[in-house]
Amino acid sequence: MGSYYYAMASLPFLRLDGDQYPEAEEFLEVARDSVSAGDLSVIRTSSIDPAAGSAPHPLVEKFHQWEMGLRNELVRQRAAELQRDGQDFIRRSAGGDDFSARSGLTESVRSALQNDSPLKADEALDEMRWAYLEELEVGQFFNLEQMIVYYLKLQILLRRRSLTRAAGTEAFDGHYEAVHERMQQSQNIHGEQA
């Protein structure tokens, strides 16, 4: 317990609307100095993205299942808005579960998507993620699970910080250029005027 106590006590308290938090490498350095190599490996490989690979810990697996349910609910609602069938985009576990049966998820996602901008909708979804991580943190004091939750919350904050106008413009320009090139290639193949 002592090493986890030192690690957690040396880290700033994270708030979703806060701007005082360590970089990922700073956090991992604190963990490296405080926990076993095996626990450090678990922490380091914990990700908020379920597509990042298999979950290194049951708490991370639980979060990944919840996140998959959230994403599947987003697919359903966005497909319905476009009057499309989103079933081809629903992700399921090997057992066939899509994890979207969580109580309140449908209404919370609907509320998030009603925001007036994609950024505000994304912020509302992050609030849902944060709240779920806080549920997972209940009863966890100065242990591996609390460190994992801290790292997952930190990843949310770092991701949010990366959502800048410049990054958005760069991503848009890259997608636009790729689409433009494909259109030109298609026109050249079919002998159409570019």
Side-chain angles (χ1 to χ4, degrees), residues 2-23:
S3 61
Y4 285 105
Y5 180 83
Y6 169 77
M8 293 309 300
S10 68
L11 293 166
F13 179 75
L14 297 181
R15 292 184 10 205
L16 187 57
D17 63 348
D19 59 0
Q20 299 296 315
Y21 49 87
E23 294 296 326

Side-chain angles (χ1 to χ4, degrees), residues 70 73-74 77-78 81 104-129:
L70 174 71
E73 188 58 38
L74 283 165
Q77 291 192 29
R78 288 175 174 159
E81 187 175 310
L105 199 54
T106 301
E107 191 52 44
S108 296
V109 169
R110 183 175 294 119
S111 177
L113 292 178
Q114 289 176 348
N115 278 285
D116 57 353
S117 77
L119 180 60
K120 292 288 185 199
D122 195 60
E123 288 172 350
L125 294 170
D126 280 346
E127 288 172 12
M128 293 169 58
R129 291 178 178 103

Side-chain angles (χ1 to χ4, degrees), residues 20-105:
Q20 299 296 315
Y21 49 87
E23 294 296 326
E25 197 49 50
E26 290 175 87
F27 166 77
L28 292 171
E29 185 67 32
V30 169
R32 186 178 304 110
D33 293 342
S34 305
V35 305
S36 71
D39 286 355
L40 178 62
S41 177
V42 169
I43 293 167
R44 181 182 292 283
T45 57
S46 296
S47 172
I48 57 173
D49 185 2
S54 63
H57 188 276
L59 184 142
V60 179
E61 178 65 27
K62 195 170 185 177
F63 179 77
H64 283 181
Q65 291 171 354
W66 183 90
E67 179 70 19
M68 187 182 300
L70 174 71
R71 291 178 184 195
N72 284 336
E73 188 58 38
L74 283 165
V75 166
R76 283 188 183 88
Q77 291 192 29
R78 288 175 174 159
E81 187 175 310
L82 297 170
Q83 299 177 347
R84 305 250 190 238
D85 180 14
Q87 288 305 310
D88 290 343
F89 302 100
I90 299 293
R91 301 290 176 244
R92 299 182 190 285
S93 69
D97 192 350
D98 71 6
F99 303 108
S100 61
R102 182 174 166 85
S103 176
L105 199 54

